[in-house]
Amino acid sequence: MSMNLHTAMDPIKMGVGRSIAVLTSGGDAQGMNAAVRATVRVGLYTGAKVFFVHEGYQGLVDGGDHIRPATWESVSMMLQLGGTVIGSARCKDFMSREGRMKAACNLVKLGITNLCVIGGDGSLTGANQFRTDWGSLLADLAKDGKITQEEAKKSSHLNIVGMVGSIDNDFCGTDMTIGTDSALHRIIEVVDAITTTAQSHQRTFILEVMGRHCGYLALVSALSCGADWVFIPEVPPDDGWENHLCRRLADQRSRGSRLNVIIVAEGAISRDGKAITSDQIKKLVTERLGFDTRTTILGHVQRGGTPSAFDRVLGSRMGVEAVMALLEATPNTPACVVSLSGNQAVRLPLMECVQVTKDVTAAMASGRFEDAVKLRGKSFENNWNTYKLLAHINPPDVKSNINMAVMNVGAPCSGMNAAVRAVVRMGIIEGHSMFAVQDGFDGLAQGQIEPISWNTVTGWTGKGGSMLGTKRTLPGKLLEKVSLNIAKFNIHALVIIGGFEAYVGGLELLQAREQYEDLCIPFVVIPATVSNNVPGSDFCIGADTALNTITTTCDRIKQSAAGTKRRVFIVETMGGYCGYLATMAGLAAGADAAYIYEDKFSIKDLTANVAHLVQKMKTTVKRGLILRNENCNANYTTEFLFNLYSEEGKGIFDCRMNVLGHMQQGGTPTPFDRNFGTKMGAKSILWLTDKLKECYRHGRIFANTANSACVLGMRKRGLTFQPIADLKDDTDFEHRIPKTQWWLKIRPIMKILAKYDIKLDTSEHVDMEPVLNKRGKPLEVEGVFLR
């Protein structure tokens, strides 16, 4: 994301005298309501008038009661609702010039010249056409006497900003579209449920998921659950795939597997362009293998249900950025779409993104499937390559004579097992002998080291906790025993999966190389902790699952508070000294405040928060939700906050207190944590394999350089390896957190959406980025395509 300094505008006055309309169009997607809510509240915050357009473009054409003023309270209790509360519809009328003229007239009469459209590529293309025609539409309206010349002059320019709401994730230019993560949640919930019954009866299950033109849902679902086969439109199977599939399934059964899972995108095709259906696959497996086979077509289940925490945060961030983009736009600014790249919000030229999306469809239609995968972006391509490697049992004929070990360190978290599975299987694919260390550094010191096979890790992606066992013990006092066992078991490389203890333990191993030569082996730390507090990574495995657990609990709490009226809940979250969970859960659940260690607060702030809630109880929204990170302040404990709010709220509201505790560490991992852990595990082995070649000297492995001991982390837009020694300066060891944390910059969004009178920093703004280079090809950013 390119950031340029410019004259800071007062955000509270940016929208004064201006009007914004927001509509949702096309297919609905979970998280749309979060985007609508953020657009409305930030629009009002800037001083603008904000309007709902009900029933999408049809409402824009019909006008009247379909276009209504939005208020702060009118978007309350929307976050946890699926679909779109302002309605969506397919609209043929808007496709005609006459229909667009009616829509323009309706907007001009209300003084609306800023339009925020949440929908797919068809909806966004329609918005761009509307903007292109705007001048001539107004001229015709004035000529026909439907608007005055003064009205035409006041509304001479229309600003358009799009947000992509589509569960298929089929829009090029963004890593994730609003609704995709929630759809993956629905799919994985079904896969997990199916897995238990399939194992009981030794069945093969064929699961058909949405994706008429895009295989993202099918591909990531397959990667997340370790499916035996996946059919996607971008990569049709080779001729003779029927024989290959049957061999694969039979081989899996012969190895002791009690179930097979096949995932099919609804748009799956063969090389000659013919549809591959779930019924066709069922008939093949039943007739050829005689397996008990069942088919499940998910359909609109994938669109339904409560949006995930990710989609709520994504929708909220996109809504804020959309309003800023609208109010900063000039008549020369092209229509843009607000997108996500890594963890960053970016603005991209709308029609360039639409063009690349159309290019994918054209490539598939003409049989250029490799081009289609590349146009989808590096992320899609990497997902496909990772899936192929981990799902297809094809160990090399020649062994590498390399022994690699994997271990879990620190507290358990969901997604650890997915990472271990990927490490083990990728290691075997590379020809290495893989070893599992039980119980962290304790087990390494005590020699609890055993070979681990391909089949051992079958089914691990969906299991929470740590199958290897994990402890918080650091290696500092065990170095001699650790060194002896590394030598005894002839371990040449090590993967350490865990939280802050894994990071500190890695530092201790690095520092001990001078004293113990057997520790001179390459190793990589994969951050995995619900606290999301490991330096070197914006995200840690396990944090997404914990965040969803907190968000779901807060939904139930808010529902209870809404039912009883005038009630405030104080909820304590995990995270140590790191406020990530409290902040993100606050944004996802619509909290009134989230107290964290990194954002210091005093009794004055607490008093202001109580006063804020007192005023809130005078509105129709008679409830409150306060989150508190467990270590945010030694004196202002959760019990203290409960007593303070209870006392100050007497006669106005009553209080309840919840300490969520270890439920935040449990549960089955979310699709994000399964996928993230899988990719991190696979990438770590490929890196170690290359590093071992560099470190091979005089017939032995000797790694004593700083870059042979790294943390693998997500940094802005890609996975990067950073020498663990280089991260020390960015570490607050006393409080076990990084000194710089990206998510702190979005904390003001949560406060603004809760109606606090604070300033939003607009001294930095997001410039629009190109999507295509001069030859019309998608651009790469830091080695990672925008999608």
Side-chain angles (χ1 to χ4, degrees):
M1 179 171 63
S2 67
M3 299 284 245
N4 285 338
L5 293 176
H6 68 122
T7 305
M9 293 179 279
D10 184 348
I12 297 176
K13 297 178 181 177
M14 284 175 69
V16 173
R18 305 174 73 175
S19 295
I20 299 170
V22 57
L23 65 86
T24 53
S25 175
D28 62 300
Q30 309 97 316
M32 278 184 166
N33 289 324
V36 170
R37 172 180 178 268
T39 303
V40 169
R41 290 194 169 178
V42 175
L44 294 173
Y45 164 83
T46 65
K49 290 182 180 178
V50 185
F51 292 82
F52 291 132
V53 179
H54 290 266
E55 312 308 333
Y57 284 121
Q58 192 64 56
L60 207 61
V61 172
D62 294 342
D65 286 342
H66 288 95
I67 307 175
R68 305 176 211 161
T71 66
W72 197 278
E73 294 168 35
S74 66
V75 292
S76 181
M77 291 297 282
M78 285 175 62
L79 274 172
Q80 70 273 29
L81 300 178
T84 164
V85 298
I86 59 174
S88 180
R90 311 284 181 183
C91 179
K92 291 184 178 179
D93 292 343
F94 193 75
M95 294 180 183
S96 68
R97 182 176 175 80
E98 183 182 355
R100 291 195 292 277
M101 192 176 298
K102 289 179 182 178
C105 184
N106 290 329
L107 292 182
V108 170
K109 290 297 182 183
L110 293 169
I112 299 169
T113 55
N114 297 280
L115 187 61
C116 180
V117 178
I118 307 167
D121 62 336
S123 301
L124 300 184
T125 301
N128 188 72
Q129 184 65 49
F130 191 36
R131 180 179 184 270
T132 302
D133 294 347
W134 184 257
S136 63
L137 292 174
L138 263 58
D140 288 351
L141 287 169
K143 181 181 176 182
D144 294 344
K146 293 180 180 178
I147 63 172
T148 66
Q149 290 294 338
E150 186 179 348
E151 285 174 328
K153 187 176 180 181
K154 280 185 178 179
S155 303
S156 61
H157 179 71
L158 178 68
N159 293 323
I160 294 281
V161 170
M163 288 181 271
V164 192
S166 167
I167 68 166
D168 291 337
N169 204 33
D170 56 353
F171 191 83
C172 294
T174 184
D175 286 346
M176 290 285 273
T177 56
I178 296 170
T180 302
D181 188 65
S182 299
L184 287 170
H185 275 250
R186 300 294 91 77
I187 295 168
I188 293 302
E189 284 168 10
V190 172
V191 171
D192 287 346
I194 280 174
T195 296
T196 55
T197 183
Q199 284 178 327
S200 300
H201 297 276
Q202 294 195 61
R203 282 179 175 153
T204 295
F205 263 92
I206 302 163
L207 193 71
E208 183 179 304
V209 302
M210 283 186 170
R212 190 166 295 126
H213 303 294
C214 179
Y216 185 87
L217 287 179
L219 174 56
V220 174
S221 298
L223 196 57
S224 299
C225 72
D228 297 289
W229 196 287
V230 64
F231 293 91
I232 60 174
E234 292 88 349
V235 190
D238 294 330
D239 293 339
W241 60 268
E242 296 89 345
N243 296 329
H244 189 184
L245 172 61
C246 290
R247 280 198 306 271
R248 171 91 56 75
L249 299 181
D251 187 53
Q252 286 287 74
R253 288 294 173 94
S254 69
R255 292 169 180 265
S257 174
R258 292 182 60 83
L259 82 154
N260 302 110
V261 176
I262 300 168
I263 295 182
V264 189
E266 61 179 330
I269 54 175
S270 60
R271 285 278 162 184
D272 57 3
K274 293 180 180 177
I276 296 177
T277 67
S278 50
D279 286 340
Q280 178 186 347
I281 300 165
K282 178 183 178 181
K283 183 179 180 183
L284 171 71
V285 174
T286 304
E287 292 181 356
R288 290 265 194 104
L289 300 174
F291 288 177
D292 188 1
T293 306
R294 298 288 188 273
T295 299
T296 301
I297 300 174
L298 290 190
H300 281 72
V301 166
Q302 295 155 89
R303 287 194 189 279
T306 300
S308 66
F310 180 92
D311 274 329
R312 300 184 200 194
V313 172
L314 176 63
S316 299
R317 291 180 68 189
M318 297 301 98
V320 174
E321 193 60 47
V323 172
M324 293 298 115
L326 281 171
L327 298 182
E328 291 171 7
T330 69
N332 297 321
T333 305
C336 80
V337 60
V338 178
S339 301
L340 181 75
S341 181
N343 67 7
Q344 295 186 294
V346 295
R347 299 177 194 173
L348 303 172
L350 172 58
M351 293 315 294
E352 286 190 21
C353 293
V354 170
Q355 184 57 54
V356 178
T357 304
K358 289 180 177 178
D359 289 346
V360 177
T361 305
M364 287 191 289
S366 60
R368 294 181 290 111
F369 297 109
E370 289 185 9
D371 290 344
V373 171
K374 291 186 182 300
L375 285 165
R376 282 279 181 229
K378 204 68 178 176
S379 174
F380 188 96
E381 190 176 5
N382 286 340
N383 278 328
W384 172 248
N385 290 334
T386 303
Y387 169 75
K388 280 196 303 181
L389 284 170
L390 296 177
H392 298 202
I393 305 173
N394 191 21
D397 297 328
V398 181
K399 289 285 186 179
S400 66
N401 295 320
I402 293 294
N403 296 329
M404 288 191 182
V406 58
M407 61 194 296
N408 293 336
V409 176
C413 68
S414 292
M416 273 185 165
N417 295 320
V420 172
R421 171 184 176 272
V423 165
V424 170
R425 291 199 167 179
M426 188 60 79
I428 292 170
I429 288 164
E430 291 292 307
H432 310 320
S433 297
M434 301 304 297
F435 290 83
V437 180
Q438 300 286 333
D439 298 336
F441 286 114
D442 266 350
L444 191 58
Q446 294 167 17
Q448 294 175 241
I449 305 168
E450 299 175 347
I452 187 166
S453 68
W454 185 283
N455 286 339
T456 303
V457 294
T458 297
W460 279 27
T461 53
K463 293 183 178 178
S466 167
M467 299 294 288
L468 295 183
T470 181
K471 290 187 177 180
R472 295 181 181 271
T473 309
L474 294 173
K477 296 179 181 179
L478 307 169
L479 287 169
E480 187 171 349
K481 290 182 178 179
V482 166
S483 176
L484 287 171
N485 278 321
I486 284 176
K488 178 181 176 182
F489 288 88
N490 199 24
I491 294 170
H492 303 111
L494 183 63
V495 179
I496 306 169
I497 303 168
F500 201 82
E501 291 88 355
Y503 165 71
V504 175
L507 279 172
E508 290 182 359
L509 290 183
L510 177 67
Q511 292 160 0
R513 281 177 171 179
E514 295 180 7
Q515 187 177 355
Y516 299 98
E517 195 172 295
D518 290 318
L519 297 181
C520 291
I521 59 171
F523 66 84
V524 61
V525 174
I526 297 178
T529 169
V530 301
S531 299
N532 202 45
N533 64 334
V534 178
S537 190
D538 294 341
F539 297 103
C540 295
I541 297 167
D544 186 68
T545 304
L547 178 58
N548 277 278
T549 299
I550 298 167
T551 303
T552 301
T553 305
C554 287
D555 284 349
R556 293 172 181 171
I557 286 171
K558 283 179 68 178
Q559 192 175 50
S560 170
T564 53
K565 309 291 187 189
R566 301 183 185 278
R567 178 163 288 175
V568 174
F569 277 86
I570 317 288
V571 179
E572 181 185 298
T573 68
M574 275 184 163
Y577 285 94
C578 180
Y580 175 83
L581 287 179
T583 296
M584 289 303 191
L587 189 55
D592 294 282
Y595 300 118
I596 65 170
Y597 169 78
E598 296 93 339
D599 193 357
K600 305 300 182 189
F601 58 97
S602 65
I603 192 67
K604 183 180 177 182
D605 299 305
L606 297 177
T607 304
N609 294 152
V610 172
H612 177 83
L613 282 170
V614 169
Q615 291 301 311
K616 187 177 181 181
M617 295 301 160
K618 296 176 182 178
T619 71
T620 58
V621 188
K622 301 181 186 298
R623 66 184 174 279
L625 176 65
I626 306 294
L627 300 184
R628 178 189 176 275
N629 167 247
E630 58 184 347
N631 288 341
C632 65
N633 189 292
N635 296 312
Y636 299 142
T637 62
T638 304
E639 190 173 355
F640 174 90
L641 293 181
F642 169 71
N643 291 332
L644 173 69
Y645 276 78
S646 296
E647 181 64 29
E648 295 300 316
K650 272 185 179 176
I652 303 168
F653 59 80
D654 64 352
C655 277
R656 294 292 186 273
M657 181 175 71
N658 289 75
V659 178
L660 300 185
H662 281 73
M663 65 179 289
Q664 296 158 85
Q665 285 185 342
T668 57
T670 59
F672 178 89
D673 279 330
R674 299 182 196 204
N675 194 16
F676 192 41
T678 298
K679 286 198 278 194
M680 297 270 272
K683 196 172 183 73
S684 67
I685 291 297
L686 296 176
W687 180 82
L688 283 173
T689 301
D690 288 339
K691 193 59 64 176
L692 283 165
K693 294 172 185 174
E694 293 177 21
C695 300
Y696 188 78
R697 298 172 191 167
H698 309 298
R700 57 166 295 191
I701 303 296
F702 186 76
N704 65 345
T705 58
N707 67 2
S708 63
C710 286
V711 170
L712 171 58
M714 175 73 168
R715 281 295 205 189
K716 293 185 178 178
R717 299 195 186 182
L719 294 176
T720 58
F721 290 90
Q722 300 148 97
I724 196 168
D726 292 353
L727 298 171
K728 288 173 65 177
D729 291 341
D730 188 40
T731 305
D732 177 350
F733 285 96
E734 180 185 354
H735 298 102
R736 297 160 54 90
I737 55 174
K739 291 179 181 177
T740 55
Q741 301 185 86
W742 68 272
W743 51 267
L744 286 170
K745 292 180 180 179
I746 66 174
R747 264 185 72 78
I749 295 174
M750 183 194 70
K751 296 180 181 179
I752 288 169
L753 295 179
K755 208 175 183 179
Y756 280 91
D757 186 17
I758 68 164
K759 287 291 179 74
L760 183 65
D761 183 9
T762 57
S763 61
E764 288 187 334
H765 80 287
V766 188
D767 278 341
M768 202 178 300
E769 298 185 354
V771 179
L772 307 173
N773 62 24
K774 292 178 181 177
R775 290 174 293 179
K777 299 294 184 182
L779 288 172
E780 287 194 30
V781 181
E782 296 180 14
V784 180
F785 270 79
L786 289 173
R787 187 176 184 287

